[in-house]
């Protein structure tokens, strides 16, 4: 499964250059150029990492970062030419994971993206209490029991577990699991969730990880 990187950069040529390098490195990349578009997009389709320029039209990178942290732990790398802002950027106030100074080499950006992904989304193990998700092999284990998930079930669990407590509507789940915009019915999503919960219950009957939120969607809580 390819990791999704969101580039937010109003300098179009720079955005295109970064996109090319990241695509070559095997990432799925999409670009936004206006600060106002970022939070709605992150709400509807959680990227795996955001490269966020500080100075943007519409809404600046700090406000965006702060806004995203209200609902998501997605890794954020701030991109800035303002060295004096870096301490603030990395502070708790805004919650960015790393920063890159302009001017930079695209190679450096790719290396930094990989490093942050390794650090933040490697094994989600610490907060997961016995749940291990290996995104490369689609293998999920709970307290040492192999859950034996299908690819769709794995992606569902990965999506929900990567932001514990966040409620996903069925539409959001659909956008994430079927990025090619293939339309599936709500019932299909529900049935995958049902099977996923059954497999978790079979492995550990006393652990309920995936919860239905009536009339809204699903969430992960461990
Ligand atoms: Ca800019």
């Amino acid at each position: 499964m390819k990791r999704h990187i969101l580039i937010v950069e109003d300098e179009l040529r720079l955005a295109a250059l970064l996109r090319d390098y990241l695509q070559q490195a095997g990432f799925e990349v999409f670009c936004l150029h206006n600060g106002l578009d970022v939070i709605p997009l992150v709400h509807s389709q959680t990227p795996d990492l955001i490269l966020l320029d500080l100075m943007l039209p519409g809404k600046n990178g700090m406000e965006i970062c702060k806004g995203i942290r209200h609902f998501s732990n997605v890794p954020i790398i701030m991109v800035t030419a303002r060295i004096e802002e870096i301490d603030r950027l990395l502070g708790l106030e805004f919650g960015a994971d790393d920063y890159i100074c302009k001017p930079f080499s695209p190679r450096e950006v790719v290396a930094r993206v990989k490093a942050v992904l390794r650090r933040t989304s490697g094994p989600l193990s610490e907060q997961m209490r016995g749940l291990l998700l290996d995104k490369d092999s689609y293998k999920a284990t709970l307290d040492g029991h192999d859950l034996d998930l299908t690819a769709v079930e794995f992606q569902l669990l990965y999506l929900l577990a990567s932001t514990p407590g966040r409620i996903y509507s069925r539409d959001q789940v659909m956008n994430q699991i079927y990025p090619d915009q293939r339309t599936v019915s709500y019932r299909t999503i529900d049935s995958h969730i049902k099977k996923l919960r059954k497999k978790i219950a079979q492995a550990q009957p006393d652990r309920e990880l995936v919860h239905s939120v009536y009339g809204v969607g699903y969430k992960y809580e461990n």
Side-chain angles (χ1 to χ4, degrees), residues 9-11 53-56 102:
E9 172 59 69
D10 57 318
E11 291 169 55
D53 186 31
L54 185 60
M55 302 298 282
L56 291 164
K102 287 180 177 178

